[in-house]
Amino acid sequence: MKNNTTVYFDNAATTPLRKEVIGAMAEVMENCFGNPSSTHAFGRSAKAYVETARKGIAKILNAQPQEIIFTSGGTESDNMVLHCAVRDLGVKTIISSAIEHHAILHTLEILEQNHGIEVKLLEVSDKGEVDFNQLEEYLALDNSPKLVTLMHINNEIGNLLDLEKVVVLCQAHQAYFHSDAVQGIGHYPFDLEALKIDFLSAAAHKFHGPKGIGFAYIRKNRKLMPLIHGGTQERGLRAGTESVHNIVGMFKALEIANDLWAKEKAQLLELKKYFLQKLKTLFPDAITNGFSGDLKRSTYTLVNVALPLPESKAAMLDFHLDLKGIACSKGSACQSGSTSGSHVLNALGTATQWPSLRFSFSIFNTKAEIDYLMQVLEEFVTT
Ligand SMILES: Cc1ncc(COP(=O)(O)O)c(C=O)c1O
């Protein structure tokens, strides 16, 4: 590939929009500017788009339309569920882990400090696996109402959580279960009729949809009250005029992801295998963080790797890749600019002096781009 090429390997941070998504959004922006709360024809037309999207998203997840609440994205959905579970469901103890996204961890700090909630963080292995025995132990500690919040796919190391296993444990102890599925929805099929989870968080920009839109899945009869007060939108649960074009874009993105899921998963698995193979040839000592090198236990979209580089080289690595037009991430994207390193890698306790990079892929990536990356890395270590 030419040197002025730009290569985007940061799809866990955000994904490019699909053309069809842009088309669907543009159509709404051009032709449907009404406020869905207005009762005239303009409003009714906007409302129809919103409700069609809600029904469509619910159908894809095998959920009920009223269980889908549109929000501004993953962070808001996480905040909504945690705050409301404490306020409205009487939750006194929240069980989580140290490798959750900061949208969870920082919310837990607030709930602990301001609301006296007991937060129990599960230990994780050096691969980032949560301790299920400890989860059971915490669930059985006392009879206080509990919420478990554990992410479906870790955004830094790609580890997959066995959601069904957590559901079974939570049900046995009458605890609520929320999962931050921001990295999972749009990449894995969900059947929420079968999977008896109470709450989920999702964000469209992780599956080729627009930014600033997502949803919270709230199972029927889990009676939450609004966190954002105002109008009666979202059945009174989340005030504010609906972002109609974003909602339509999210639905379109999820619809395409769902239609093409098996094909795109196979394509991306192939790409990930190719990446791991090339990496091993170039850096036989490289260490994949968490389960990200294990095709069965991590998502097919990312690899997080510690590269065996001397300190002098390590300091220049990010800069060099950027200069060569390659975008990837040092830990989590939300952390860029931070000097304290990734809280996830720190929690695994396997921190090395080697620099760790997260490469995350989408169907718009190619093997030629991986070849280009390897060529750039090879030149970097040998010069
Ligand atoms: C696992 C996870 N949770 C939550 C978020 C926050 O989502 P949003 O950017 O839509 O607020 C992200 C985004 O990086 C994420 O990866």
Side-chain angles (χ1 to χ4, degrees):
M1 291 186 91
K2 292 191 292 271
N3 251 0
N4 60 359
T5 314
T6 54
V7 174
Y8 186 73
F9 284 145
D10 202 13
N11 291 280
T14 198
T15 51
L17 276 85
R18 294 192 200 249
K19 279 200 174 52
E20 300 89 328
V21 170
I22 298 172
M25 292 172 71
E27 156 75 20
V28 171
M29 287 192 282
E30 274 178 22
N31 300 319
C32 184
F33 66 89
N35 185 327
S37 296
S38 302
T39 51
H40 48 62
F42 292 84
R44 290 198 305 275
S45 159
K47 178 97 177 160
Y49 272 109
V50 170
E51 295 312 318
T52 301
R54 194 189 313 280
K55 273 192 208 129
I57 290 171
K59 187 158 184 253
I60 289 169
L61 304 174
N62 202 12
Q64 303 292 318
Q66 68 269 26
E67 294 175 320
I68 305 296
I69 306 298
F70 295 128
T71 65
S72 64
T75 302
E76 186 187 325
S77 300
D78 285 346
N79 271 264
M80 177 196 266
V81 171
L82 299 192
H83 277 282
C84 296
V86 166
R87 190 193 55 194
D88 306 326
L89 303 175
V91 163
K92 297 275 181 269
T93 304
I94 304 184
I95 304 169
S96 191
S97 85
I99 62 170
E100 299 299 305
H101 191 273
H102 279 144
I104 295 290
L105 291 176
H106 290 164
T107 306
L108 291 179
E109 281 167 23
I110 297 293
L111 290 170
E112 198 171 29
Q113 283 160 24
N114 299 355
H115 300 271
I117 296 306
E118 180 156 17
V119 173
K120 295 202 160 288
L121 296 184
L122 299 171
E123 276 160 31
V124 292
S125 71
D126 59 357
K127 286 288 182 192
E129 191 175 23
V130 293
D131 185 337
F132 285 100
N133 292 328
Q134 194 179 31
L135 173 57
E136 217 171 345
E137 198 183 296
Y138 285 162
L139 282 167
L141 265 183
D142 52 43
N143 288 328
S144 71
K146 296 184 182 63
L147 171 75
V148 173
T149 177
L150 290 171
M151 68 207 306
H152 174 222
I153 294 175
N154 186 282
N155 53 303
E156 293 198 36
I157 52 176
N159 286 18
L160 272 166
L161 178 74
D162 184 343
L163 293 173
E164 187 58 55
K165 197 166 165 178
V166 183
V167 165
V168 170
L169 286 176
C170 286
Q171 283 191 331
H173 295 273
Q174 284 95 46
Y176 296 105
F177 178 27
H178 164 253
S179 185
D180 175 336
V182 165
Q183 296 286 342
I185 297 226
H187 297 277
Y188 285 83
F190 278 78
D191 177 347
L192 295 174
E193 187 53 49
L195 181 76
K196 301 285 183 203
I197 197 162
D198 298 288
F199 310 107
L200 280 177
S201 302
H205 72 108
K206 306 293 185 178
F207 52 88
H208 305 293
K211 293 168 187 56
I213 188 75
F215 61 88
Y217 163 80
I218 300 175
R219 185 172 287 278
K220 211 162 73 192
N221 298 329
R222 306 305 183 266
K223 299 232 177 305
L224 302 186
M225 302 297 284
L227 191 66
I228 294 177
H229 303 275
T232 55
Q233 292 90 352
E234 299 301 297
R235 293 180 182 77
L237 201 49
R238 200 271 189 181
T241 301
E242 298 89 337
S243 185
V244 183
H245 61 294
N246 275 330
I247 289 170
V248 167
M250 172 162 68
F251 173 38
K252 185 53 124 186
L254 191 62
E255 206 174 33
I256 299 175
N258 188 53
D259 286 349
L260 302 181
W261 177 73
K263 179 172 163 269
E264 295 192 340
K265 181 184 177 189
Q267 187 183 331
L268 277 166
L269 254 180
E270 188 58 33
L271 206 65
K272 178 166 170 173
K273 273 193 226 163
Y274 188 74
F275 176 92
L276 287 169
Q277 213 178 57
K278 292 277 164 179
L279 186 77
K280 186 117 198 92
T281 310
L282 187 58
F283 296 104
D285 296 330
I287 299 169
T288 48
N289 292 311
F291 284 127
S292 70
D294 181 331
L295 297 174
K296 289 216 167 66
R297 305 188 75 172
S298 68
T299 176
Y300 51 91
T301 53
L302 81 82
V303 178
N304 189 320
V305 62
L307 296 175
L309 294 175
E311 223 173 298
S312 57
K313 287 267 176 201
M316 297 300 292
L317 180 61
D318 293 347
F319 177 67
H320 186 76
L321 290 177
D322 195 23
L323 202 71
K324 295 287 182 185
I326 296 168
C328 63
S329 180
K330 191 159 71 143
S332 166
C334 307
Q335 294 303 296
S336 60
S338 158
T339 49
S340 56
S342 145
H343 71 283
V344 174
L345 298 185
N346 289 341
L348 304 194
T350 52
T352 72
Q353 292 303 100
W354 297 351
S356 280
L357 292 175
R358 178 186 71 180
F359 295 94
S360 47
F361 312 113
S362 85
I363 34 99
F364 298 117
N365 291 125
T366 62
K367 286 185 178 173
E369 289 178 332
I370 292 176
D371 291 340
Y372 172 64
L373 165 71
M374 296 300 162
Q375 178 201 320
V376 167
L377 286 173
E378 186 166 19
E379 280 164 13
F380 178 67
V381 289
T382 53
T383 53

